[in-house]
Amino acid sequence: RRLFFSWRMVFGQVVIGPPGSGKTTYCEGMRQFLLGLGRKVAVINLDPANETLPYEPACDVSQLISLENAARVCGLGPNGALVYCIEYLASNTDWLLDELDKLSDHYVLLDMPGQVELYTHHGGVRSILHALQKHNHRFTAVHLVDAHHCSDASKFISVLLVTLSTMVQLEMPQVNLLSKIDLIESYGELAFNLDFYTDVLDPERLLPFLEDSHAGDSEFARKHKKLSAAICELVQDFSLVSFGAICIHDRESVWAALRSIDKANGYIFGGLEGADASVFACAASEVEWEDERFGTVQERYMRGADLSELLPPGSGRLPTNEDWAGGPQPPHDAGVVRLMETTRDVET
């Protein structure tokens, strides 16, 4: 056992998220991007169930424990064996610390498993990350969530709860990203503009859209809406959850995500070379206008005719004269187009 602290600081990212959110693809894309920036980067695979890796890992948790052996010896299923492997790693963090000591001059990416319970209420991953922090290593949790969940109000509210639970459980700097942003409308148009989902300022505005998911006035629909309202209130009271947007093939979105991550783990304030007098100048220089944050992403990956703030709940079209019956009449389509073009010219 180690009786001393390791002062060979390592900066990096802990890539977490539900299954299929693109963690391994993110690690490979981020690895290539960092290499292009001239950084020495290493990827450590801590997912014992991930056998197909697009990158060459600096070390693999399978060198410590095998998922198949854990399942066979302990008589466990796939999920139970994976949890056992994480608990075994948490009891043998010396192995991981030794591997990080060998990579003291590298920026490290930790490719984590996809079981959500490991980050929401199980203590294994939390114990591992706290051990790294105690040895002066600086990591940021990068929580990936499929962007297409934004098109379903019920799923997005669930995403908010899982994200908040992860942030409270891990107790470390965390950057939340909507991954695969290029597929954000692959399962339907969004009810609001992209900044509504990234800033999460008023999630209760999603509640009227739950009626489409559970048609009718059944007992289940009433209870589900009441539960969703309580979750939205909880998320809004904590006011911790927000998201960035990333497409791993889009260099601009990767660069924007990397700047947020490096600020969270402290790399941007000096990195491996140590901080100097430019710390405050570096922090003050990271100013972005609202259209720079998400305007380009929305124009590139969302449908151009998205005036979604005017859409009544459940409709996938622009409001017509019938929708405005009894109230002020909307402008003609041509006027709307001219207004949009004028606004775009002014912004330019």
Side-chain angles (χ1 to χ4, degrees), residues 57-317:
C59 66
D60 198 313
V61 71
S62 60
Q63 300 169 2
L64 177 68
I65 184 171
S66 168
L67 182 70
E68 293 77 10
N69 291 340
R72 175 175 51 82
V73 174
C74 301
L76 300 171
N79 289 337
L82 192 145
V83 172
Y84 178 85
C85 291
I86 294 298
E87 292 176 344
Y88 187 84
L89 176 60
S91 301
N92 296 271
T93 54
D94 286 351
W95 172 82
L96 182 56
L97 291 170
D98 287 336
E99 296 296 334
L100 288 176
D101 280 345
K102 302 174 185 177
L103 303 170
S104 59
D105 59 341
H106 287 67
Y107 189 96
V108 177
L109 307 176
L110 301 183
D111 192 359
M112 303 296 291
Q115 271 60 20
V116 176
E117 63 269 20
L118 295 175
Y119 316 110
T120 56
H121 57 273
H122 191 272
V125 172
R126 176 182 176 180
S127 176
I128 295 169
L129 298 180
H130 283 193
L132 300 183
Q133 290 176 331
K134 287 180 180 179
H135 286 75
N136 207 35
H137 298 310
R138 299 289 183 258
F139 283 91
T140 293
V142 180
H143 184 238
L144 301 181
V145 178
D146 273 303
H148 69 76
H149 290 322
C150 297
S151 61
D152 189 310
S154 179
K155 291 181 180 179
F156 187 72
I157 292 174
S158 300
V159 164
L160 295 180
L161 180 60
V162 170
T163 303
L164 178 60
S165 300
T166 300
M167 299 178 73
V168 173
Q169 170 72 6
L170 296 184
E171 295 181 334
M172 67 180 301
Q174 180 167 318
V175 174
N176 306 306
L177 297 176
L178 296 174
S179 63
K180 310 173 188 176
I181 196 66
D182 53 320
L183 303 177
I184 188 170
E185 290 191 325
S186 59
Y187 291 88
E189 295 184 4
L190 303 189
F192 302 99
N193 289 330
L194 183 60
D195 57 351
F196 172 83
Y197 300 93
T198 54
D199 295 339
V200 197
L201 297 178
D202 190 10
E204 292 183 351
R205 295 175 64 187
L206 291 170
L207 296 178
F209 294 88
L210 294 176
E211 300 174 359
D212 298 335
S213 302
H214 305 285
D217 192 27
S218 64
E219 183 68 17
F220 174 81
R222 290 194 296 271
K223 290 184 176 180
H224 182 264
K225 187 171 182 178
K226 186 176 180 180
L227 175 61
S228 300
I231 294 174
C232 291
E233 183 179 359
L234 176 68
V235 171
Q236 195 164 0
D237 287 345
F238 271 85
S239 191
L240 291 176
V241 180
S242 62
F243 296 92
I246 187 171
C247 171
I248 199 60
H249 306 296
D250 183 353
R251 290 179 296 178
E252 292 182 6
S253 66
V254 175
W255 174 241
L258 182 61
R259 283 187 296 179
S260 299
I261 295 167
D262 283 349
K263 287 182 70 174
N265 62 24
Y267 185 90
I268 200 171
F269 301 124
L272 299 174
E273 297 78 18
D276 53 23
S278 63
V279 167
F280 298 104
C282 184
S285 64
E286 296 298 318
V287 177
E288 286 184 305
W289 298 102
E290 192 68 23
D291 58 341
E292 291 177 343
R293 291 176 60 226
F294 302 112
T296 303
V297 174
Q298 181 161 325
E299 291 178 2
R300 183 174 301 174
Y301 299 119
M302 296 176 63
R303 293 178 176 85
D306 184 18
L307 295 177
S308 52
E309 295 286 354
L310 302 178
L311 295 178
S315 89
R317 55 179 174 76

Side-chain angles (χ1 to χ4, degrees), residues 1 14 20 26 34 45 187 206 210 215 246 252 277 286 320 332:
R1 290 238 175 234
V14 183
Y26 171 90
L34 291 171
N45 177 41
Y187 291 88
L206 291 170
L210 294 176
I246 187 171
E252 292 182 6
E286 296 298 318
T320 62
H332 295 292

